[in-house]
Amino acid sequence: MMKTVYSDLHGLQHAEAEYIRGKRVASFEMPRRVELVLERVRAVALGPVVGIGDYGLETVGKVHDAEFVTFLSTAWQAWSAENGEIDAFPNAWPPPRASRRATKRPGAELGRFCIDMSSPIMAGTWTAAKAAVDAAVTAVDIVAGGDHAAFALCRPPGHHAGRDYFGGYCFLNNAAAAAQAFRDRGYGKVAVLDIDYHHGNGTQDIFYDRADVLTVSIHADPQVEYPYYSGYAEETGEGAGADFNLNLPLPWGTEYTGYGAALATGLGRIAAHGTEALVVSLGVDTFGGDPISHFKLVSDDFTRIGQAIGGLSLPTVFVMEGGYAVEEIGVNAVNVLSGFKAVA
């Protein structure tokens, strides 16, 4: 049995469009993604579906800067007062070597904190993002209370949200909040394993100078894939966090043979770390049919991934991230969870 933590507040983030390479397109990140995962969870009787707790901002404040949290929680009010009920996108970004000082215009403030044009803020964004964090922390409490594993069916996703920025459909970092919650509950060594197609740049940013949370990310080569500016193998942490960050970038066209080898390397590092609790950023956009990705995994490969993770025999929280082949997302995500259950 594995409990799934879910809140229908995720539906308050429902962007009509995003901008990709100059084109306005329908948003790939939509409520139907998690609704189909939830359907599959129930179809295979994975375990009970439970609601979220309310954890305030204590955990959020340990992984995100206070100014950023204040901005995100108030951005819609400022934007809509100036521009009306339309989705909020930045209209300027600070150039290199410029200050990121506060301004008096909502569009410029968005540019201070937002890294792309995929993640509009709307009336329900803050509520949805906060509920996603609460789902992740609820899952941690389920595991800390004695369950071997739990699944936080988070939306919006979170792994691209850094200490003081958002983007890539992510506003608050759910996986980072889960890792911090494990630390706060007395787990000495925590690891985050990010298996999303895209590098978990936000998670890396949050823990890059910390030795208490090991971060491991398997992802597409950032020379050719979002988020481009982080995710390289030579990024291994700094200060106290030196050697506590592992990036395993892979080329376009990677199939399970190459992916499985990288996964084995990542799991080996996690085992050697002496990890006491594991957070998995569960992205399934590594699937060969994903519309914005370039790996070639098939649905059965996700079962293998879950089995491999389960072989660590660690208390584990899975946190939902990406996956945009919508009709297959439920099967692929739940295959990971079912594979894990079969061996853990």
Side-chain angles (χ1 to χ4, degrees):
M1 180 189 75
M2 183 187 299
K3 294 185 179 75
T4 295
V5 185
Y6 169 81
S7 170
D8 60 9
L9 292 174
H10 78 87
L12 295 175
Q13 177 67 18
H14 191 176
E16 177 183 340
E18 60 181 287
Y19 293 86
I20 297 180
R21 288 178 285 280
K23 295 180 180 179
R24 186 179 189 272
V25 301
S27 179
F28 288 100
E29 204 292 292
M30 63 187 74
R32 182 165 168 76
R33 296 174 58 251
V34 297
E35 292 163 1
L36 288 173
V37 175
L38 186 64
E39 285 183 14
R40 184 66 176 175
V41 163
R42 288 173 167 153
V44 304
L46 185 74
V49 177
V50 302
I52 62 173
D54 185 352
Y55 293 88
L57 293 178
E58 181 179 0
T59 306
V60 170
K62 292 180 179 179
V63 296
H64 292 290
D65 288 354
E67 185 185 21
F68 170 67
V69 173
T70 298
F71 159 79
L72 200 61
S73 64
T74 60
W76 175 253
Q77 291 88 334
W79 171 270
S80 59
E82 181 178 282
N83 301 288
E85 303 286 316
I86 59 172
D87 291 357
F89 287 97
N91 60 14
W93 281 270
R97 296 172 301 284
S99 71
R100 287 179 64 190
R101 68 177 61 190
T103 72
K104 295 183 178 180
R105 298 296 298 277
E109 287 299 276
L110 283 159
R112 280 211 299 142
F113 296 105
C114 184
I115 62 174
D116 62 27
M117 292 287 282
S118 71
S119 312
I121 287 178
M122 54 195 63
T125 299
W126 172 253
T127 300
K130 173 61 168 54
V133 167
D134 284 338
V137 179
T138 301
V140 169
D141 274 345
I142 289 170
V143 172
D147 285 21
H148 182 59
F151 174 38
L153 185 45
C154 296
R155 181 179 174 275
H159 73 147
H160 294 308
R163 303 180 204 192
D164 60 353
Y165 61 81
F166 70 97
Y169 313 131
C170 304
F171 300 92
L172 295 172
N173 196 308
N174 310 311
Q180 182 64 54
F182 269 129
R183 288 287 295 116
D184 291 344
R185 283 148 184 77
Y187 293 82
K189 292 184 177 182
V190 178
V192 180
L193 171 65
D194 193 320
I195 59 172
D196 191 277
Y197 173 80
H198 303 93
H199 176 237
N201 59 300
T203 310
Q204 173 176 300
D205 176 62
I206 288 167
F207 296 117
Y208 203 62
D209 59 357
R210 289 174 54 170
D212 57 335
V213 178
L214 170 71
T215 49
V216 177
S217 182
I218 307 167
H219 51 268
D221 182 352
Q223 283 196 312
V224 295
E225 196 57 84
Y226 186 93
Y228 303 112
Y229 308 113
S230 69
Y232 295 89
E234 61 266 27
E235 297 164 6
T236 59
E238 64 183 13
D243 297 323
F244 286 92
N245 187 80
L246 175 64
N247 288 324
L248 297 164
L250 298 170
W252 280 2
T254 293
E255 299 178 349
Y256 190 75
T257 300
Y259 192 92
L263 179 61
T265 298
L267 295 177
R269 175 66 73 85
I270 290 167
H273 173 243
T275 300
E276 299 170 18
L278 177 65
V279 177
V280 179
S281 275
L282 177 54
V284 293
D285 41 359
T286 49
F287 179 62
D290 196 275
I292 60 174
S293 305
H294 298 278
F295 284 178
K296 295 185 177 181
L297 272 59
V298 300
S299 292
D300 286 347
D301 293 333
F302 294 100
T303 303
R304 297 184 184 98
I305 290 170
Q307 291 169 340
I309 297 170
L312 290 173
S313 297
L314 288 171
T316 301
V317 165
F318 291 89
V319 176
M320 193 69 209
E321 301 285 2
Y324 309 100
V326 177
E327 298 309 316
E328 294 87 357
I329 190 174
V331 170
N332 293 339
V334 177
N335 277 3
V336 176
L337 306 174
S338 297
F340 178 92
K341 278 181 57 182
V343 300

